[in-house]
Amino acid sequence: MAWDEWEQLKADALERRGEPLQHMRLNSIPADGGVTAGGAEQTLQTDPTGKQAAVKALQESIRPDTGTAGDHAQEPSGTTVRVFSGWATGDGLADAHKEWQLQVANLKGRLSNDQSALSKTQGEFQYVDTGVRNEIARLDPGRASRREI
């Protein structure tokens, strides 16, 4: 069954039921001003000030404090491992210390990624509609003007 045939069958069924023909609308709000059938308004809200505050906190305190806390265990752990060297306890402490260092490094990396992602969200929200429109235009050039990128 071809796409046009399917669309015609849907239109005929709606006409028989006495309902107006409905088209799928992407990237837009309902004709009634944004209220859906369930009565809920569809709005996407972001908090640029909150994102900026979170980025600042990550940059100025959370990431540096994580590094400081991770480094705080370095010297005492190293000393303890040396004291117990040659014992199974020393080997266990050395393994635990290596795992601690790995976990601290992973956490610092994740915090850095979070900071970067929060910084980029403003631009991504701003340009997402244009990107979706361009993708749709490439898929169905007969309905939308095509823009070469």
Side-chain angles (χ1 to χ4, degrees):
M1 177 181 300
W3 182 260
D4 293 335
E5 184 180 358
W6 173 246
E7 289 296 320
Q8 185 60 46
L9 289 171
K10 288 191 317 183
D12 292 345
L14 287 172
E15 189 176 327
R16 282 192 303 273
R17 289 185 1 203
E19 295 179 17
L21 181 61
Q22 298 176 358
H23 295 283
M24 180 188 294
R25 288 184 308 198
L26 296 176
N27 204 15
S28 65
I29 61 171
D32 61 1
V35 179
T36 63
E41 189 172 320
Q42 293 181 346
T43 58
L44 174 64
Q45 297 178 357
T46 63
D47 181 11
T49 346
K51 285 189 287 237
Q52 289 172 352
V55 168
K56 183 177 179 180
L58 281 164
Q59 185 175 14
E60 294 178 2
S61 62
I62 297 172
R63 287 182 54 212
D65 290 351
T66 300
T68 302
D71 293 343
H72 185 69
Q74 286 287 81
E75 188 177 330
S77 295
T79 302
T80 307
V81 168
R82 282 192 301 278
V83 168
F84 286 103
S85 67
W87 293 44
T89 303
D91 293 340
L93 287 171
D95 290 345
H97 184 63
K98 286 178 189 174
E99 184 63 27
W100 169 262
Q101 290 174 323
L102 178 65
Q103 293 299 322
V104 169
N106 287 339
L107 179 58
K108 287 167 64 174
R110 288 179 65 188
L111 291 171
S112 178
N113 290 341
D114 290 346
Q115 178 182 337
S116 175
L118 280 169
S119 297
K120 292 189 309 186
T121 55
Q122 183 68 26
E124 289 174 358
F125 277 126
Q126 184 177 359
Y127 297 111
V128 73
D129 288 341
T130 304
V132 169
R133 186 188 71 221
N134 289 340
E135 288 295 319
I136 291 171
R138 279 190 233 161
L139 296 174
D140 190 5
R143 292 186 178 230
S145 60
R146 186 165 185 188
R147 217 173 103 181
E148 296 295 324
I149 296 177

